[in-house]
Amino acid sequence: MARKKKDIVLENILIEDYAAEGKSLAKVDGKVIFVEQAVPGDVVDVRLIKNKKDWAEGFPIRYVSYSEERVTPFCSHFGVCGGCQWQMLPYKKQLKYKQKQAADNLERIAKVQLPEIQPIIGAATTQYYRNKIEYTFGTEAFVPKDEFVKLKATDTPNGATSDLAAGFHARGFWSKVVDIQKCYLQKEPTNELRLAIKDFAKENDYSFYNLRSHQGFLRTLLVRLCETGEWMANIMLGHDDKVKREALLDFILQRFPDITSLLYTINTKQNDSIYDLKPEIYYGKGYVIEKLDEFQFKIGPKSFFQTNTQQATRLYQVTRDFAELTGKEVLYDLYCGTGSIGIFCSKEAGLVIGVELIEEAIEDAKQNAMLNGLQNKTQFYAGDVIDICTEKFFTQHGHPDVIITDPPRAGMHGVLIEKINEIAAPVVVYVSCNPATQARDLALLNKKYEVTKVQPVDMFPHTLHIENVVQLKLRK
Ligand code: SAH
C-alpha cells in the first residue's frame, strides 16, 4: 500500500462483485472498497476518495488487467458521453447485476419476509429503444484526453476546443458537449436530423449556445419518435430571429417530409428547463400519439411519458397482473403522471382514480382518458399525494380495493405510507425506479402488508437504472 498524507492508493486490487449504482466492490483486509468504473474481474490500482472505518470508496488510476467479462463497447462515444455506462458488460451480465441489486436492497434494507424474486424481465431490443432524446448544441466540443494531445496548439486547454458540437453533455464537464456522430439510443432519423441541423447551422453561420456566457441561437433539440410512426422535433432557441428560425425550420420540413410535428421554443433563461416556456407549433398538430397495447397516449413537448415504449408495456403488464383485477375494483393510481398506468388497467377495473402533483400532467391524463373513451371510468386529481389522499377523499371516491403507487426516486412520503397502512386496501402494487427507497418503504408497510411478489424489469439497457414491481397484500 503506497501512502502519502490523505492520498491512499491500493494496488493490485481484484474487483470481486457488483455492488450498486455503477459501483463494484473489492475486499482489502476485511474492509469493503467500492470502486467506480470497474467491473467484477478487473484488477486495478485504486485511489481512495473516501475512507471510513468499515468501508472506503475510490476510482481506478490504473487497470492492471481487464476482466474476462468485458466486451468491446459498440458506441465510439462510450466513456466520454454521459449516456450508456455499462456497454463494457454483455447484456446478460447487466441483467444479472441488476437482479442482484434489487435482491440485495430487499434483503438488506427492507429486511422483510420475501417470496422468491422473479428473474428480471430483460429488453428484447437493447439498442434504439428510446422514444425521446434531447440533444444539446454547444460551443465547447469535448475532446477526450488521448485525442486532445493530437490537437494543434491554438486549441484551448482542459479538454475543450472552440469547436461547435451537437450531442450530449460530457460526463463531469457541465459546459462541454460531446459531438455525437451516431447515438444508438433512438432509431433513425434521430442522428440524421441532428447532423443535418448542425451542418445547416455551420453553413449558414448560425451560432450555437455557449453554456458559460449564455449567448447563442441554437440550444437544444428534442426528438420524440413513436412506435405508431408519428414523430416530432422541438428546437429550443436562445432568442428569436424570425428569418433564421424560419429558414432552419423550412429546411427541416423539406429534408424530413415525413415528420408529423415540428415545434420551436424561445428560451432566454439560463437553464434548459421547458416547464415554464411555451413551445410554438410550426408544422403539424404539435404532439405525437404513442400506443401501449390498445391504449393511445397524446405526448406533447412538455408531457412526461415512459421513454422505452416496449419495456413500458411489459412494466405495465406486470403491474396490471399484480393488481389482480376482476372488473369491479376501485383502483387508485398514485403518482400517476399522465395517467398511463391507470388507463392501461382501466378495462379490468371498475373505477380508476389518479393523483399527481403536476397540473399539466393531470390535464394530459384527462385528455388521454378521453382519447381512449374512458371519461366515465377515470378521475384525475392534481395535488400532493399527502394532501389529496385523506380519509375524506377515500370515503368520497370509494374505499380502495387496489392502490398502485409509482413514486419518484425519493420514494413515498412517510405520511402517505401511514395512510396506506390505515386505509388497508387489500392489494398494493409498488412500482419503483429506485429499489433502495422502495426497500425502505416496504419496511414501513410491513406493519400491515406482506410482500407477495417481486418482479424487476429492465427499462434501460446499458444504463444502471432498475425498475422493480412489488405486490403487497394486507395481512389477514
Ligand atoms: N406513473 C407515471 C409517472 C411516474 S413518475 C408513469 O408511469 O408514467 C412519478 C410522478 O410522481 C411524476 O409525475 C411526479 O410529478 C409525481 N410526483 C412527485 N411528487 C409527488 C407528490 N408529492 N404528490 C403527487 N405526485 C408527485
Side-chain angles (χ1 to χ4, degrees):
M1 190 187 286
R3 190 185 241 272
K4 268 196 284 170
K5 199 183 174 197
K6 276 194 165 178
D7 183 22
I8 303 175
V9 173
L10 307 173
E11 289 168 351
N12 274 310
I13 304 300
L14 170 68
I15 304 296
E16 292 173 27
D17 206 347
Y18 179 65
E21 314 258 314
K23 289 172 193 143
S24 291
L25 63 81
K27 286 191 191 117
V28 178
D29 302 333
K31 185 164 167 173
V32 177
I33 319 285
F34 295 100
V35 186
E36 283 179 18
Q37 298 157 40
V39 301
D42 283 343
V43 177
V44 288
D45 292 349
V46 177
R47 171 164 283 138
L48 298 190
I49 45 175
K50 271 186 201 157
N51 192 12
K52 307 274 162 130
K53 198 163 144 263
D54 307 324
W55 61 275
E57 191 179 327
F59 61 91
I61 51 170
R62 185 170 75 100
Y63 290 86
V64 180
S65 60
Y66 285 115
S67 166
E68 282 182 5
E69 284 190 0
R70 283 184 179 252
V71 288
T72 308
F74 51 81
C75 175
S76 63
H77 304 291
F78 175 78
V80 203
C81 163
C84 321
Q85 290 174 51
W86 255 5
Q87 278 182 26
M88 77 294 229
L89 282 177
Y91 188 54
K92 266 202 176 139
K93 291 280 180 202
Q94 296 176 20
L95 291 178
K96 177 183 144 191
Y97 293 133
K98 289 188 187 197
Q99 176 87 12
K100 180 178 179 295
Q101 191 185 335
D104 281 356
N105 277 302
L106 292 173
E107 280 153 21
R108 293 196 190 138
I109 304 174
K111 295 194 173 100
V112 298
Q113 205 172 349
L114 294 170
E116 196 177 329
I117 301 174
Q118 295 175 39
I120 187 166
I121 299 177
T125 313
T126 58
Q127 292 181 351
Y128 313 111
Y129 59 77
R130 286 184 67 97
N131 55 35
K132 174 192 155 186
I133 281 202
E134 188 168 272
Y135 300 109
T136 299
F137 297 98
T139 52
E140 292 179 32
F142 181 83
V143 180
K145 239 195 234 148
D146 45 344
E147 278 176 43
F148 185 69
V149 290
K150 296 180 223 150
L151 293 173
K152 37 188 202 302
T154 49
D155 292 323
T156 52
N158 306 325
T161 69
S162 56
D163 205 2
L164 305 178
F168 299 114
H169 288 277
R171 228 180 137 197
F173 296 86
W174 64 271
S175 70
K176 297 182 178 66
V177 174
V178 183
D179 192 43
I180 300 285
Q181 287 310 307
K182 175 173 172 149
C183 173
Y184 289 80
L185 281 172
Q186 195 177 41
K187 286 183 190 146
E188 292 304 337
T190 197
N191 291 299
E192 288 161 29
L193 176 65
R194 185 193 63 257
L195 294 171
I197 293 174
K198 189 175 82 174
D199 289 346
F200 178 90
K202 280 186 170 175
E203 275 161 29
N204 295 281
D205 269 338
Y206 283 38
S207 59
F208 284 22
Y209 195 73
N210 181 301
L211 291 158
R212 289 178 201 271
S213 69
H214 299 287
Q215 304 280 321
F217 189 55
L218 281 175
R219 290 188 69 156
T220 63
L221 164 68
L222 169 84
V223 184
R224 284 191 185 272
L225 214 64
C226 299
E227 306 266 308
T228 53
E230 294 196 9
W231 71 283
M232 68 179 228
N234 178 34
I235 299 185
M236 196 182 273
L237 303 169
H239 54 264
D240 201 8
D241 177 330
K242 190 164 184 277
V243 175
K244 283 197 150 160
R245 163 167 58 79
E246 290 187 349
L248 172 67
L249 296 171
D250 287 341
F251 162 76
I252 295 171
L253 287 180
Q254 175 248 324
R255 181 73 193 271
F256 299 91
D258 67 342
I259 192 168
T260 49
S261 277
L262 181 60
L263 301 95
Y264 66 93
T265 306
I266 307 296
N267 179 10
T268 55
K269 300 179 301 170
Q270 295 206 342
N271 66 56
D272 278 350
S273 160
I274 195 170
Y275 293 100
D276 46 358
L277 300 172
K278 190 171 176 292
E280 303 285 348
I281 301 172
Y282 190 70
Y283 169 79
K285 52 193 178 185
Y287 60 87
V288 283
I289 298 282
E290 182 59 306
K291 266 181 129 174
L292 299 177
D293 271 4
E294 79 247 51
F295 301 100
Q296 296 187 30
F297 297 90
K298 176 181 161 183
I299 314 168
K302 290 191 187 189
S303 309
F304 174 81
F305 192 75
Q306 292 279 349
T307 43
N308 181 342
T309 302
Q310 281 182 16
Q311 284 308 88
T313 306
R314 295 294 290 121
L315 180 76
Y316 288 0
Q317 281 165 347
V318 170
T319 307
R320 190 169 59 192
D321 289 349
F322 280 14
E324 294 181 4
L325 301 163
T326 64
K328 295 189 223 74
E329 289 78 7
V330 178
L331 167 71
Y332 284 80
D333 177 11
L334 306 184
Y335 304 91
C336 71
T338 48
S340 41
I341 295 183
I343 289 172
F344 196 85
C345 296
S346 58
K347 289 255 157 81
E348 285 81 2
L351 175 67
V352 174
I353 295 155
V355 181
E356 157 65 42
L357 188 64
I358 312 282
E359 221 151 301
E360 284 93 339
I362 286 296
E363 284 313 308
D364 283 346
K366 289 178 182 167
Q367 291 211 21
N368 284 332
M370 260 201 310
L371 194 64
N372 293 285
L374 293 166
Q375 24 320 20
N376 298 328
K377 243 189 162 182
T378 54
Q379 297 169 14
F380 293 100
Y381 297 91
D384 193 314
V385 281
I386 62 170
D387 299 329
I388 302 249
C389 298
T390 59
E391 200 73 45
K392 197 172 149 208
F393 182 76
F394 287 123
T395 311
Q396 258 173 10
H397 297 87
H399 187 270
D401 297 304
V402 179
I403 294 177
I404 294 175
T405 180
D406 182 14
R409 282 189 65 76
M412 286 199 280
H413 195 288
V415 172
L416 178 65
I417 298 176
E418 225 8 78
K419 187 46 81 194
I420 294 177
N421 276 330
E422 246 172 62
I423 205 79
V427 178
V428 172
V429 183
Y430 190 153
V431 184
S432 166
C433 54
N434 183 350
T437 55
Q438 183 184 41
R440 176 202 69 198
D441 294 350
L442 294 181
L444 299 171
L445 288 165
N446 192 47
K447 195 166 146 190
K448 286 286 190 68
Y449 287 93
E450 63 175 321
V451 175
T452 41
K453 282 180 186 165
V454 180
Q455 176 66 72
V457 181
D458 185 28
M459 304 294 287
F460 303 107
H462 313 301
T463 75
L464 310 170
H465 299 284
I466 312 177
E467 203 86 11
N468 193 37
V469 191
V470 169
Q471 183 197 57
L472 298 122
K473 289 202 170 163
L474 199 60
R475 288 181 203 286
K476 302 234 163 63

